[in-house]
Amino acid sequence: MTTTLEKPATLQCACPGCHCTVQADSPFRNVTLLFCSEVCAKGHPNGEPCHAGCGCECHG
């Protein structure tokens, strides 16, 4: 018998301007939306980027 482990689906971060992908079981969520980081989930309250050097335009 062979067991196949399926890779979790990856989705796009729900933050506008963000190009990062997230796992379906992301701990960063806001109701049904998934985010790649806590700052994306909170809407970038201080204009900080989601990740250092990721190149996304979702901050500020």
Side-chain angles (χ1 to χ4, degrees), residues 27-43:
F28 308 110
R29 58 175 68 235
N30 185 347
V31 189
T32 59
L33 301 175
L34 298 175
F35 299 91
C36 66
S37 66
E38 186 174 0
V39 293
C40 279
K42 290 183 176 182

Side-chain angles (χ1 to χ4, degrees), residues 3-59:
T3 303
T4 304
L5 297 176
E6 290 189 35
K7 204 166 131 182
T10 55
L11 306 164
Q12 172 119 13
C13 179
C15 184
C18 188
H19 308 295
C20 294
T21 57
V22 292
Q23 298 294 323
D25 61 351
S26 172
F28 308 110
R29 58 175 68 235
N30 185 347
V31 189
T32 59
L33 301 175
L34 298 175
F35 299 91
C36 66
S37 66
E38 186 174 0
V39 293
C40 279
K42 290 183 176 182
H44 302 270
N46 299 311
E48 66 274 51
C50 57
H51 300 283
C54 66
C56 292
E57 300 171 359
C58 57
H59 56 85

